[in-house]
Amino acid sequence: MKLELREITKKFGDFTANDAISITVESGTVHALLGENGAGKSTLMNVLFGLYDADGGQILLDDEPVVFSGPGEAMAAGIGMVHQHFMLVPPFTVAENVMLGHEQVTGPAKLLDVEAARAKVREISDRFNFHVDPDAVVEDLSVGAQQRVEIIKALSRDAKVLILDEPTAVLTPQETDELLEIVGQLRDSGTAVVLITHKLREVQAIADTITVIRRGKVVGTAEPTDSQEQLASLMVGRDVSMTVEKDEASPGDVVLEVSDLTVVDPATHITLLNGVSLEVKAGEILAVAGVQGNGQTELAEAILGVVETKSGSVSLQGEKLTGKTIRQVLDAGVGFVPEDRTEDGVVASFTVANNLILDLYDREPYSRAGAIKPSVVKEHAETQVEKFDVRTTSINALTGSLSGGNQQKVVLARELARDLKVLIASQPTRGLDVGSIEFVHKRIIEERDKGVAVIIVSSELDEVYALADRIAVMYHGEIVDIVSPDTDRDTMGLMMAGAHEEDAA
């Protein structure tokens, strides 16, 4: 099936997210969409999938114009989409998830034909070597296997065009390699694949055609053989360095010490952290690596005091933090960039300027005698917005109106404006374009070189290798090993799946 988007335009009020975008995707090819955060890639695919109505332009399938009023019509026409956050029902089996929304019945009693769904799962799984059991319960599957279930869902509905939105965001390196092999098999079977990703390595590995979108417009096409620097420059519109320049770390004394920390979910009684111990010295970066959901989030939140610990302790320069309020921990010199910026990082209904002083508003020079000083807040906001390239119409714009990446920049700008002893950053560059990533990495290195003890939690292995002086690998709530950044990717991937370094090497 040939897919063509002609002059697609989508506006949200006065903001043009897609400005007359035209692309063509041929059967049996992988077409990558590259672009910085907020460039309009996902909006374009949501228009294609019937989630948004276009304000202009045409969608053509095999040269015939089509209009989709919803995802159901798009799927019926042969378009499937695997979202970044999987649309699966965890307690259901694979077969039940695949048939959900397209249930078939059998017999006079019109019972659900689960066996037909099982057969369909087996047929697709065997064809592409997915190794997925139709009777497996989804919540018991690895993240990579769950993603294969999503692809099976799309293929079971005869998808001729498959959209993959940031498909490797939560995968181990081995699972990423497996997915790229699957994408290659889909291409070879005649499926047209649209790949939305910011990971240049993957684009180079699998794409046949690359379209680059910047600020809602197509700015050019690229070849998979182009260098990462060339691809990044086309995305951002300027030269970008893909390597993090940093001197060898010169660690000082231990600043943060975590000892035998255990966290238990009060609702489910599941152990989320199991006796975690580590230390971070002044002037070093400890990166916490692992597939998302293995305790990294709980570790960061337990240090800050967001979640209650069952046992163990956290100390800052010998002073116990465990039991203190979050405000007391922050005031002690801890900076915190939360994983979920929307829920935990910003107040969406506050202005950009006010979000930038959330932990500073009650002290000099921002306020006096309980009264906020607007001129100081304004000057501070303008400085931080410029320094962090926060793309906003005004410092008085509501933070909720910003793209996710720009909300992340607001959080980083706020936390790095304080004098810190420890910086804890969970997924610090999630949703950022390569130019912004370059800037954020430089700022994190600057904090390290100022003598700050830094903990980075990242599911991006490239980021872990680029920043880390030491790497703590987590699996099922425990630290598997703390290793050097010289550890190779294959060994690291095995450790992220639970193997110890000596077993993985």
Side-chain angles (χ1 to χ4, degrees):
M1 179 183 290
K2 176 184 175 183
L3 166 69
E4 189 175 358
L5 304 180
R6 289 184 184 171
E7 303 288 314
I8 295 293
T9 297
K10 176 61 183 174
K11 297 182 178 181
F12 297 95
D14 294 331
F15 175 69
T16 302
N18 295 150
D19 189 355
I21 292 180
S22 298
I23 65 169
T24 300
V25 184
E26 301 284 353
S27 295
T29 64
V30 177
H31 195 119
L33 287 185
L34 274 181
E36 57 185 330
N37 180 68
K41 308 183 301 296
S42 293
T43 299
L44 184 66
M45 290 301 100
N46 286 332
V47 168
L48 170 60
F49 199 55
L51 291 166
Y52 293 155
D53 294 327
D55 295 307
Q58 276 187 317
I59 301 171
L60 296 94
L61 295 178
D62 289 333
D63 299 320
E64 293 294 326
V66 292
V67 177
F68 302 135
S69 60
E73 293 183 8
M75 287 187 282
I79 296 174
M81 186 167 181
V82 177
H83 299 267
Q84 183 174 349
H85 303 290
F86 304 150
M87 306 293 183
L88 299 172
V89 182
F92 283 14
T93 66
V94 171
E96 289 166 343
N97 269 281
V98 167
M99 70 187 302
L100 193 62
H102 290 73
E103 296 86 353
Q104 295 180 354
V105 295
T106 185
K110 294 188 176 180
L111 299 174
L112 289 175
D113 194 352
V114 180
E115 185 52 46
R118 289 193 186 104
K120 178 63 78 171
V121 171
R122 291 191 195 99
E123 184 264 318
I124 295 172
S125 183
D126 291 344
R127 194 194 325 163
F128 294 103
N129 296 315
F130 283 180
H131 306 295
V132 173
D133 178 2
D135 294 317
V137 177
V138 163
E139 64 187 356
D140 296 333
L141 297 176
S142 68
V143 175
Q146 289 185 33
Q147 188 172 64
R148 292 196 288 274
V149 175
E150 284 278 28
I151 294 174
I152 289 172
K153 272 176 57 180
L155 297 179
S156 71
R157 293 159 195 176
D158 297 320
K160 302 296 189 299
V161 178
L162 183 63
I163 305 164
L164 301 176
D165 188 1
E166 299 288 355
T168 64
V170 291
L171 301 185
T172 66
Q174 280 80 3
E175 288 172 327
T176 296
D177 291 341
E178 290 171 8
L179 176 68
L180 295 180
E181 286 183 18
I182 289 168
V183 171
Q185 292 172 14
L186 291 168
R187 171 181 59 195
D188 295 343
S189 72
T191 304
V193 180
V194 180
L195 180 66
I196 303 173
T197 181
H198 66 277
K199 298 182 179 180
L200 303 179
R201 185 196 305 272
E202 294 162 18
V203 170
Q204 292 174 314
I206 199 64
D208 299 299
T209 306
I210 302 170
T211 296
V212 182
I213 299 175
R214 189 192 314 146
R215 301 199 180 189
K217 296 182 179 181
V218 172
V219 294
T221 58
E223 297 294 329
T225 52
D226 291 345
S227 70
Q228 292 193 12
E229 285 76 13
Q230 289 173 309
L231 294 173
S233 296
L234 193 55
M235 288 168 61
V236 181
R238 62 175 177 82
D239 290 338
V240 177
S241 172
M242 300 303 295
T243 57
V244 176
E245 300 294 336
K246 62 175 184 175
D247 296 328
E248 193 76 23
S250 300
D253 295 334
V254 172
V255 174
L256 185 76
E257 185 174 5
V258 176
S259 180
D260 200 29
L261 204 60
T262 298
V263 172
V264 177
D265 188 313
T268 63
H269 305 294
I270 294 173
T271 300
L272 304 174
L273 285 183
N274 187 19
V276 171
S277 296
L278 57 83
E279 59 183 32
V280 193
K281 297 179 179 179
E284 75 163 349
I285 296 174
L286 176 71
V288 181
V291 177
Q292 201 163 340
N294 278 277
Q296 307 96 307
T297 300
E298 289 76 18
L299 173 60
E301 292 181 344
I303 293 171
L304 188 68
V306 175
V307 297
E308 185 177 346
T309 57
K310 179 181 179 182
S311 62
S313 63
V314 179
S315 299
L316 178 66
Q317 293 181 329
E319 181 181 348
K320 192 173 180 181
L321 293 181
T322 312
K324 291 185 180 292
T325 66
I326 296 172
R327 185 57 192 260
Q328 287 173 329
V329 173
L330 292 174
D331 286 346
V334 177
F336 186 71
V337 179
E339 180 178 315
D340 190 334
R341 56 186 169 245
T342 305
E343 290 294 321
D344 305 318
V346 299
V347 180
S349 59
F350 281 16
T351 65
V352 171
N354 285 339
N355 268 281
L356 286 167
I357 60 163
L358 282 181
D359 46 10
L360 299 168
Y361 69 92
D362 59 347
R363 62 195 66 184
E364 291 278 5
Y366 307 99
S367 67
R368 180 177 296 167
I372 289 178
K373 298 162 72 174
S375 61
V376 177
V377 172
K378 177 176 180 291
E379 182 180 355
H380 173 73
E382 288 173 345
T383 299
Q384 295 301 98
V385 163
E386 181 179 359
K387 184 184 293 186
F388 280 80
D389 187 29
V390 180
R391 295 181 184 174
T392 176
T393 54
S394 163
I395 61 169
N396 295 315
L398 297 183
T399 308
S401 68
L402 272 58
S403 70
N406 282 299
Q407 290 181 27
Q408 183 80 331
K409 292 179 187 178
V410 170
V411 177
L412 286 160
R414 180 182 68 231
E415 296 305 301
L416 296 184
R418 296 188 288 128
D419 288 330
L420 302 177
K421 296 175 183 175
V422 175
L423 171 64
I424 304 167
S426 290
Q427 316 298 343
T429 59
R430 176 175 287 170
L432 300 188
D433 60 79
V434 288
S436 298
I437 290 171
E438 176 192 36
F439 175 78
V440 170
H441 285 173
K442 285 181 179 178
R443 286 305 310 268
I444 290 172
I445 296 296
E446 286 175 11
E447 292 298 307
R448 181 202 75 166
D449 293 344
K450 282 161 50 178
V452 175
V454 181
I455 295 179
I456 297 295
V457 177
S458 179
S459 56
E460 299 285 354
L461 206 48
D462 286 342
E463 180 165 71
V464 167
Y465 277 119
L467 294 177
D469 299 308
R470 292 186 298 137
I471 303 171
V473 184
M474 291 195 70
Y475 179 73
H476 282 191
E478 299 181 356
I479 290 182
V480 177
D481 270 311
I482 297 180
V483 298
S484 159
D486 295 331
T487 305
D488 66 72
R489 295 177 73 91
D490 288 341
T491 300
M492 187 70 67
L494 291 170
M495 291 170 63
M496 288 165 68
H500 286 265
E501 184 181 18
E502 60 269 21
D503 300 323

